[in-house]
């Protein structure tokens, strides 16, 4: 297993004593023409080393996006090539691994202690007939320090479950499994399972051969590796339909302290607006609480409360990853008018929810304003039935190929109304089980 970044738990520490900064990708990409770093993980565990650990199931309707987005999709893309029912056992497997209970509207009992502000907000929402539930967090409550600014950095106690832990466990268990951190994959052979790589600090190129190869460098970097390897000639959809959710965020100010500046409050969510409301009967996604921004002072943070709405963004062929003549990876992305329309509607819903919860004032913004946060990067190597609009078949192999599998967020044909990590993990288990059955 070759990984470009380091092992987050065997590094130098930063000034706060946390072993963090260098597990955030420092590569300069070009985003819409400007050199830019993109906020994503770079190390064993990838972005799950710094993610929020909310492992939400998408809804059955997410697997048939034509139901809500038909006018914007090719006919071939109205249904995913895999059904919700086929994915369900794998969702359950990941949930069992992290001891999670799936999100259930109206259910607020859990092993975690709800922050008083969340109890208060839930109580007030219930008076309005709303049904908040507990977010399924892959966080071990016994080890968790309740840090107010989680996530965005490596968890100091390993309370936050990441795929890094599974990789280390695999290495401990199997003699024939080896982790090679600080090893960059440059390209792969199109015709045989052969990977060209370079160890960090060593300019020599090396080659590793196998029976089968699994590529999981994330939607942006996996697309770039395949493009560099010449797959673009055979797969016109490669690199296209890059998505990362057109979310909206509300910042609400409360008279009584929320204590969000001193403890973990990202605990509750609502799925009642997944398909919008009467005023906006359009697909949006899950609404969930967030930590407060570090830029504000503690006294202000202690009266703030943040929520975000996940807004499913459209797969557009003009939003893409390309290789630039300058040797950099270029990312082009502009939200569709329909994405902006729905995120504007989501802002209204979020503000109204905060006022129902007792906020004095609120301000809302959309993902358009954030230029670096591509945390929910998906698409670019979509699975599907047609090589015209997709790259991968239902087992995540490039159409017509047997030896290569792509198992990261790139396979997602649409971005769904829920955050992607659970679906990426479940799909990886589904496909690796298939690979094992084939051998
Ligand atoms: C701050 C933050 C918070 C998030 N919170 C949530 C959340 O609460 N819930 C949720 O569902 N999702 C969340 N996400 C998204 C989630 O983490 C990602 O969807 C998921 O980790 C993507 O998995 P992946 O395998 O596609 O890619 P990644 O996890 O990004 O893994 C790709 C790995 O490949 C490595 N790599 C890249 N290029 C190369 C190369 N050339 N050679 C070798 N290795 C390479 C990278 O270093 C990286 O380690 C969050 C993301 C961020 C950044
Ligand atoms: S809040 Fe818990 S899970 Fe998050 S960084 Fe702190 S200890 Fe880790």
């Amino acid at each position: 297993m070759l990984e470009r970044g380091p092992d987050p738990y065997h590094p130098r520490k930063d000034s706060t004593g946390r072993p963090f900064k260098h597990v955030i990708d420092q590569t300069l990409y070009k985003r819409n023409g400007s050199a830019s770093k993109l906020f994503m993980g770079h190390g064993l565990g990838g972005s799950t080393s710094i993610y929020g650990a909310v492992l939400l199931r998408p809804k059955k309707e997410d697997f048939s996006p034509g139901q809500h987005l038909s006018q914007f999709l090719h006919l071939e893309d109205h249904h995913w090539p895999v059904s919700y029912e086929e994915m369900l056992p794998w969702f359950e497997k990941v949930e069992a691994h992290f001891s999670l209970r799936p999100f259930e509207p109206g259910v607020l009992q859990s092993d975690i202690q709800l922050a008083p502000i969340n109890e208060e907000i839930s109580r007030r929402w219930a008076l309005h007939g709303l049904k908040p539930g507990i977010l399924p967090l892959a966080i071990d409550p016994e080890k968790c320090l309740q840090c107010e600014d989680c996530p965005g950095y490596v968890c100091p106690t390993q309370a936050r479950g990441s795929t890094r832990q599974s990789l280390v466990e695999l290495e401990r268990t199997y003699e024939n499994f080896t982790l090679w951190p600080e090893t960059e994959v440059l390209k792969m052979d199109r015709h045989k399972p052969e990977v060209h790589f370079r160890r960090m600090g060593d300019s020599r190129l090396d080659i590793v051969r196998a029976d089968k190869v699994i590529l999981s460098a994330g939607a942006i970097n996996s697309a770039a590796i395949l493009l560099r390897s010449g797959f673009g000639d055979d797969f016109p959809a490669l690199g296209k339909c890059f998505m990362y959710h057109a979310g909206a965020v509300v910042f609400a100010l409360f008279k009584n302290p929320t204590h969000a500046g001193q403890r973990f409050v990202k605990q509750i969510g609502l799925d009642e607006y997944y398909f919008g409301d009467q005023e906006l009967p359009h697909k949006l996604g899950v609404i969930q609480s967030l930590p407060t921004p570090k830029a504000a002072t503690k006294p202000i943070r202690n009266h703030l409360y943040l929520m975000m709405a996940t807004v499913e963004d459209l797969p557009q062929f003009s939003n893409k990853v390309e290789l630039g003549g300058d040797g950099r990876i270029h990312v082009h992305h502009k939200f569709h008018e329909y994405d902006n329309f729905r995120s504007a509607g989501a802002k209204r819903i979020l503000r109204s929810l905060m006022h129902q919860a007792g906020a004095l004032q609120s301000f809302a913004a959309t993902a358009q304003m954030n230029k670096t946060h591509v945390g929910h990067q998906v698409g670019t190597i979509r699975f599907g039935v047609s090589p015209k609009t997709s790259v991968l078949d239902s087992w995540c192999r490039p159409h017509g190929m047997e030896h290569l599998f792509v198992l990261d967020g790139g396979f997602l044909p649409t971005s769904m109304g829920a955050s992607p990590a659970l679906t990426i993990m479940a799909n990886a288990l589904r496909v690796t089980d298939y690979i094992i059955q084939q051998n």
Side-chain angles (χ1 to χ4, degrees), residues 2 185 187-197 206-215 231 401-405:
L2 317 181
V185 172
K187 58 179 188 170
M188 32 198 52
D189 195 289
R190 262 162 77 194
H191 307 291
K192 48 186 191 290
E194 197 173 277
V195 176
H196 299 231
F197 69 93
D206 221 329
I207 292 180
V208 65
R209 294 184 184 90
D211 294 332
K212 292 188 169 43
V213 171
I214 297 175
L215 177 63
F231 284 71
M401 285 192 171
E402 292 289 328
H403 65 267
L404 174 62
F405 297 80

Side-chain angles (χ1 to χ4, degrees), residues 77-256:
D77 292 343
H78 281 208
H79 299 279
W80 288 17
V82 168
S83 67
Y84 182 85
E85 288 71 20
E86 284 168 279
M87 200 70 92
L88 185 59
W90 306 104
F91 286 141
E92 289 170 346
K93 206 155 185 172
V94 180
E95 287 161 351
H97 176 78
F98 288 112
S99 309
L100 294 177
R101 253 201 271 161
F103 180 85
E104 222 180 307
V107 176
L108 290 165
Q109 282 92 35
S110 118
D111 299 342
I112 60 162
Q113 178 75 43
L114 267 195
I117 181 64
N118 286 329
E119 284 182 359
E120 175 63 9
I121 289 175
S122 301
R123 189 186 64 76
R124 286 186 180 240
W125 278 348
L127 297 176
H128 290 272
L130 295 165
K131 293 185 179 150
I134 302 256
L135 295 173
L137 287 160
I139 293 179
D140 179 347
E142 308 255 301
K143 290 192 201 155
C144 182
L145 306 173
Q146 301 285 323
C147 320
E148 86 290 354
D149 55 349
C150 171
Y153 53 85
V154 176
C155 172
T157 63
Q158 302 208 39
R160 198 188 316 118
S162 90
T163 52
R164 182 262 176 197
Q165 290 148 357
S166 314
L167 290 170
V168 170
E169 193 58 43
L170 281 175
E171 196 181 40
R172 271 197 212 117
T173 313
Y174 296 102
E175 272 181 16
N176 61 353
F177 182 82
T178 313
L179 292 173
W180 280 1
E182 308 199 47
T183 305
E184 183 177 28
V185 172
L186 297 171
K187 58 179 188 170
M188 32 198 52
D189 195 289
R190 262 162 77 194
H191 307 291
K192 48 186 191 290
E194 197 173 277
V195 176
H196 299 231
F197 69 93
R198 178 172 62 195
R199 303 299 286 252
M200 289 309 192
D202 187 344
S203 57
R204 276 174 309 170
L205 290 186
D206 221 329
I207 292 180
V208 65
R209 294 184 184 90
D211 294 332
K212 292 188 169 43
V213 171
I214 297 175
L215 177 63
S216 303
I220 295 174
N221 280 292
S222 283
I225 291 169
L226 292 179
L227 286 167
R228 208 177 287 129
S229 313
F231 284 71
D233 298 342
D234 296 328
F235 300 101
L238 179 60
K240 315 277 170 52
C241 297
F242 171 55
M243 297 163 274
Y244 59 90
H245 280 149
V249 180
V250 65
F251 302 73
L253 195 62
F254 284 74
K255 182 162 179 265
N256 294 330

Side-chain angles (χ1 to χ4, degrees), residues 3-4 39 42-43 46-47 51-54 185 216-218 221 375 408-409 419-421:
E3 161 57 52
R4 184 170 67 171
F39 194 62
H42 166 82
S47 289
Y51 77 152
V54 179
V185 172
S216 303
N221 280 292
D408 55 33
S419 48

Side-chain angles (χ1 to χ4, degrees), residues 346-387:
K347 280 199 319 189
R348 170 191 55 79
I349 291 170
L350 287 171
R351 293 192 64 195
S352 147
L353 282 170
M354 285 292 91
H355 291 284
Q356 283 173 345
L360 291 178
Q361 276 182 27
S362 68
F363 159 78
T366 63
Q368 272 172 298
M369 293 171 73
N370 194 323
K371 304 285 182 230
T372 60
H373 193 76
V374 292
H376 291 185
Q377 52 166 311
V378 297
T380 74
I381 321 170
R382 309 159 82 212
F383 75 169
V385 287
S386 161

